[in-house]
Amino acid sequence: MAGERHRRHCGGGDVDRRRDPAVGVKTLVRKPPADERRLDVLGRMPRLRRVVMSRSFQPVSMLLLLAPFALAIVAGLLGTSAGNRNFGIVFVWIVWWAVLMVLMVPGFGRIWCTICPIPAPGEWIQRRGIIGGGGKLRTLGLRWPRRLRNMWIQNVGFLILALFSMIILTRPTVSAGVILGLAGVAVSMSLLFENRVFCKYVCPIGGFIGLYSMAAPIELRVRDTQVCVDHRSKDCITGNERGYGCPWMVYPGKLDRNLDCGFCTECLKTCTMDNVVINLRRPGADLAKPGGGKQIDEAYKALIMLACSIIYPAVLFGPWATVRGWASVESLWGWAIYATAFLSATLLFVPGVFWLTVFAAQRRSATGVTIRQAYREYAHSLIPLGLAAWMAFSVGFALTNGSYALAAVSDPLGWGWNLFGTSETGWTPYLSGTAPAIQAAILVGGLLFSIRTTLRVGFRHDPSGTTATRAAVPVVAFLLASTLALLWLYLG
Ligand code: SF4
Ligand code: SF4
């Protein structure tokens, strides 16, 4: 029986394990029983389940976070213009960003979207209350255009933020304006459209959180899809007295990727069949699935994020002071050159090189997969490395600048207050000697994870394994080159 199962995993072909190294690699990357293993977290933790099932869980979490974000806006608009003394800059771009990218996304996927205060006011207006319990939403009920049901607006939004990041990160008024702008768009869209159209199709932060959440070791899924098929009332879609229909317009019964689910926990409450669970799973279980997104937008998201994860440290920490000046909009011409180079790199050069990489991979394989499909699916290989690159960047940034938080919390507006007796704390970089080693370890971990994903895509395209490892070589070379560039920036 075990032999038969092994034959099936190996495609049932006559493969000599001693002669074909692909078999060893395949065994390494394809262990279906382990991939299927899931642990029902809330089933094991009844107290946590009670908290999550409570109607007040999400709104109270949002309210708790709304307070520091409101203070960040006030500090940005009224406080000191010195970014490193202003709570708005320090709290959002050092503390929140580091917690988001180092802990939340890699460990808990979309958990930020569960508690994010940005869409909260709009959602509360829609629901006519903060702790609602189901019912009709108050909106104009417009439908989001079909051609915009993808990640392109999120891609463009992220690129705009990235282009101006040097001034967003250092000028408190600009930073406050960005947060206010996002909240304003979120509220306006809540009035026009039903549910979380802003989060699902517009928010530039939600876009990359969703992409990287597919690498997380946690997921929300249904326990048994057949129960959903047989359950005619579909309360998770319609809502009931226990909660609202899915605000992210998802049918949980068909959910198979974290990207599509906002982790709002409504369906946990509304499901009368107790069929929705939060699972602990193998990290990256959503990656290398067939399709890799319906359109090329998702592949572009992965490419843009990886490209930016290299450009950011190059501009911020690299030896090119002139480029830093251009990125900081010191002159309009300089910024125009920077913007042209930045957009060319993120939208043309990196996607173009990756297209050539996938083209070479396809030439080395003997599968009927189209280049477009291969492009979408191999782009998933970039997700673990991209996430690791952002983690490495955020760790370094937080360790170098984290000490500013002690002063900012005591004197959030820079007006000379000393609420907690720490306002005079000077700038102290933490672990400056070991930070590069930590960053290198994160990057190498991301590279290995990405190589594993590449091999999984290759073996899915060619289950016989004959050409899968050969096809992976160009993609692995692309990943290796990206990692070496990052290691050079952090260690060089
Ligand atoms: S998508 Fe954006 S606004 Fe919506 S919850 Fe997530 S981060 Fe917040
Ligand atoms: S599937 Fe469930 S948890 Fe995910 S967004 Fe929809 S209602 Fe929320």
mmCIF file of all heavy atoms in Angstrom, residues 349-365:
data_model
loop_
_atom_site.group_PDB
_atom_site.id
_atom_site.type_symbol
_atom_site.label_atom_id
_atom_site.label_comp_id
_atom_site.label_asym_id
_atom_site.label_seq_id
_atom_site.Cartn_x
_atom_site.Cartn_y
_atom_site.Cartn_z
ATOM 1 N N PHE A 349 11.293 46.693 -15.943
ATOM 2 C CA PHE A 349 12.546 45.937 -15.893
ATOM 3 C C PHE A 349 12.395 44.619 -15.120
ATOM 4 O O PHE A 349 12.640 43.536 -15.668
ATOM 5 C CB PHE A 349 13.665 46.799 -15.277
ATOM 6 C CG PHE A 349 14.966 46.076 -15.189
ATOM 7 C CD1 PHE A 349 15.699 45.783 -16.339
ATOM 8 C CD2 PHE A 349 15.469 45.647 -13.966
ATOM 9 C CE1 PHE A 349 16.907 45.084 -16.268
ATOM 10 C CE2 PHE A 349 16.668 44.945 -13.886
ATOM 11 C CZ PHE A 349 17.383 44.671 -15.040
ATOM 12 N N VAL A 350 11.960 44.697 -13.865
ATOM 13 C CA VAL A 350 11.875 43.467 -13.047
ATOM 14 C C VAL A 350 10.824 42.500 -13.625
ATOM 15 O O VAL A 350 11.119 41.318 -13.816
ATOM 16 C CB VAL A 350 11.604 43.813 -11.555
ATOM 17 C CG1 VAL A 350 11.410 42.550 -10.730
ATOM 18 C CG2 VAL A 350 12.773 44.611 -11.001
ATOM 19 N N PRO A 351 9.606 42.975 -13.967
ATOM 20 C CA PRO A 351 8.657 42.040 -14.600
ATOM 21 C C PRO A 351 9.190 41.480 -15.920
ATOM 22 O O PRO A 351 8.941 40.321 -16.246
ATOM 23 C CB PRO A 351 7.397 42.890 -14.826
ATOM 24 C CG PRO A 351 7.502 43.977 -13.807
ATOM 25 C CD PRO A 351 8.957 44.274 -13.686
ATOM 26 N N GLY A 352 9.941 42.307 -16.677
ATOM 27 C CA GLY A 352 10.491 41.843 -17.954
ATOM 28 C C GLY A 352 11.541 40.755 -17.742
ATOM 29 O O GLY A 352 11.526 39.721 -18.418
ATOM 30 N N VAL A 353 12.451 40.982 -16.795
ATOM 31 C CA VAL A 353 13.479 39.963 -16.502
ATOM 32 C C VAL A 353 12.804 38.690 -16.005
ATOM 33 O O VAL A 353 13.189 37.573 -16.373
ATOM 34 C CB VAL A 353 14.495 40.500 -15.456
ATOM 35 C CG1 VAL A 353 15.433 39.399 -14.988
ATOM 36 C CG2 VAL A 353 15.292 41.651 -16.044
ATOM 37 N N PHE A 354 11.763 38.848 -15.216
ATOM 38 C CA PHE A 354 11.076 37.645 -14.713
ATOM 39 C C PHE A 354 10.360 36.917 -15.855
ATOM 40 O O PHE A 354 10.300 35.684 -15.862
ATOM 41 C CB PHE A 354 10.088 38.029 -13.597
ATOM 42 C CG PHE A 354 9.555 36.825 -12.864
ATOM 43 C CD1 PHE A 354 10.378 36.021 -12.105
ATOM 44 C CD2 PHE A 354 8.208 36.480 -12.952
ATOM 45 C CE1 PHE A 354 9.901 34.900 -11.449
ATOM 46 C CE2 PHE A 354 7.714 35.365 -12.306
ATOM 47 C CZ PHE A 354 8.567 34.573 -11.546
ATOM 48 N N TRP A 355 9.848 37.674 -16.819
ATOM 49 C CA TRP A 355 9.213 37.024 -17.977
ATOM 50 C C TRP A 355 10.243 36.186 -18.738
ATOM 51 O O TRP A 355 9.978 35.037 -19.100
ATOM 52 C CB TRP A 355 8.598 38.079 -18.907
ATOM 53 C CG TRP A 355 7.743 37.460 -19.965
ATOM 54 C CD1 TRP A 355 6.420 37.179 -19.897
ATOM 55 C CD2 TRP A 355 8.175 37.009 -21.261
ATOM 56 N NE1 TRP A 355 5.989 36.582 -21.059
ATOM 57 C CE2 TRP A 355 7.048 36.456 -21.919
ATOM 58 C CE3 TRP A 355 9.403 37.013 -21.927
ATOM 59 C CZ2 TRP A 355 7.112 35.923 -23.195
ATOM 60 C CZ3 TRP A 355 9.463 36.478 -23.209
ATOM 61 C CH2 TRP A 355 8.323 35.942 -23.823
ATOM 62 N N LEU A 356 11.449 36.768 -18.937
ATOM 63 C CA LEU A 356 12.509 36.012 -19.619
ATOM 64 C C LEU A 356 12.881 34.766 -18.804
ATOM 65 O O LEU A 356 13.141 33.697 -19.360
ATOM 66 C CB LEU A 356 13.749 36.899 -19.810
ATOM 67 C CG LEU A 356 13.592 38.043 -20.820
ATOM 68 C CD1 LEU A 356 14.816 38.930 -20.825
ATOM 69 C CD2 LEU A 356 13.338 37.478 -22.231
ATOM 70 N N THR A 357 12.876 34.917 -17.482
ATOM 71 C CA THR A 357 13.194 33.789 -16.591
ATOM 72 C C THR A 357 12.174 32.671 -16.775
ATOM 73 O O THR A 357 12.542 31.500 -16.919
ATOM 74 C CB THR A 357 13.160 34.277 -15.121
ATOM 75 O OG1 THR A 357 14.059 35.367 -14.984
ATOM 76 C CG2 THR A 357 13.531 33.178 -14.156
ATOM 77 N N VAL A 358 10.895 33.046 -16.761
ATOM 78 C CA VAL A 358 9.843 32.025 -16.901
ATOM 79 C C VAL A 358 9.876 31.433 -18.306
ATOM 80 O O VAL A 358 9.666 30.224 -18.486
ATOM 81 C CB VAL A 358 8.458 32.639 -16.572
ATOM 82 C CG1 VAL A 358 7.341 31.641 -16.831
ATOM 83 C CG2 VAL A 358 8.418 33.099 -15.124
ATOM 84 N N PHE A 359 10.189 32.276 -19.295
ATOM 85 C CA PHE A 359 10.311 31.780 -20.673
ATOM 86 C C PHE A 359 11.406 30.701 -20.741
ATOM 87 O O PHE A 359 11.211 29.623 -21.313
ATOM 88 C CB PHE A 359 10.637 32.957 -21.600
ATOM 89 C CG PHE A 359 10.764 32.573 -23.039
ATOM 90 C CD1 PHE A 359 9.644 32.241 -23.790
ATOM 91 C CD2 PHE A 359 12.014 32.528 -23.651
ATOM 92 C CE1 PHE A 359 9.768 31.873 -25.120
ATOM 93 C CE2 PHE A 359 12.144 32.158 -24.984
ATOM 94 C CZ PHE A 359 11.016 31.833 -25.718
ATOM 95 N N ALA A 360 12.543 30.999 -20.098
ATOM 96 C CA ALA A 360 13.646 30.022 -20.081
ATOM 97 C C ALA A 360 13.207 28.758 -19.339
ATOM 98 O O ALA A 360 13.524 27.636 -19.768
ATOM 99 C CB ALA A 360 14.871 30.640 -19.413
ATOM 100 N N ALA A 361 12.461 28.937 -18.254
ATOM 101 C CA ALA A 361 11.983 27.760 -17.492
ATOM 102 C C ALA A 361 11.076 26.899 -18.360
ATOM 103 O O ALA A 361 11.186 25.670 -18.362
ATOM 104 C CB ALA A 361 11.248 28.226 -16.228
ATOM 105 N N GLN A 362 10.211 27.549 -19.120
ATOM 106 C CA GLN A 362 9.292 26.797 -19.971
ATOM 107 C C GLN A 362 10.032 26.070 -21.097
ATOM 108 O O GLN A 362 9.655 24.973 -21.477
ATOM 109 C CB GLN A 362 8.222 27.739 -20.567
ATOM 110 C CG GLN A 362 7.193 28.224 -19.574
ATOM 111 C CD GLN A 362 6.496 27.079 -18.876
ATOM 112 O OE1 GLN A 362 6.928 26.612 -17.826
ATOM 113 N NE2 GLN A 362 5.416 26.581 -19.461
ATOM 114 N N ARG A 363 11.096 26.707 -21.601
ATOM 115 C CA ARG A 363 11.887 26.062 -22.661
ATOM 116 C C ARG A 363 12.563 24.792 -22.139
ATOM 117 O O ARG A 363 12.832 23.867 -22.890
ATOM 118 C CB ARG A 363 12.968 27.031 -23.185
ATOM 119 C CG ARG A 363 12.420 28.187 -23.991
ATOM 120 C CD ARG A 363 11.829 27.746 -25.310
ATOM 121 N NE ARG A 363 12.847 27.234 -26.219
ATOM 122 C CZ ARG A 363 13.416 27.940 -27.188
ATOM 123 N NH1 ARG A 363 13.035 29.176 -27.407
ATOM 124 N NH2 ARG A 363 14.333 27.422 -27.967
ATOM 125 N N ARG A 364 12.851 24.797 -20.835
ATOM 126 C CA ARG A 364 13.548 23.640 -20.244
ATOM 127 C C ARG A 364 12.581 22.571 -19.762
ATOM 128 O O ARG A 364 12.998 21.550 -19.243
ATOM 129 C CB ARG A 364 14.418 24.116 -19.072
ATOM 130 C CG ARG A 364 15.561 25.025 -19.503
ATOM 131 C CD ARG A 364 16.160 25.725 -18.309
ATOM 132 N NE ARG A 364 16.851 24.789 -17.430
ATOM 133 C CZ ARG A 364 18.120 24.429 -17.547
ATOM 134 N NH1 ARG A 364 18.854 24.926 -18.524
ATOM 135 N NH2 ARG A 364 18.662 23.580 -16.711
ATOM 136 N N SER A 365 11.292 22.834 -19.848
ATOM 137 C CA SER A 365 10.328 21.842 -19.371
ATOM 138 C C SER A 365 9.512 21.331 -20.559
ATOM 139 O O SER A 365 9.533 21.909 -21.637
ATOM 140 C CB SER A 365 9.387 22.453 -18.327
ATOM 141 O OG SER A 365 8.513 23.349 -18.953
#
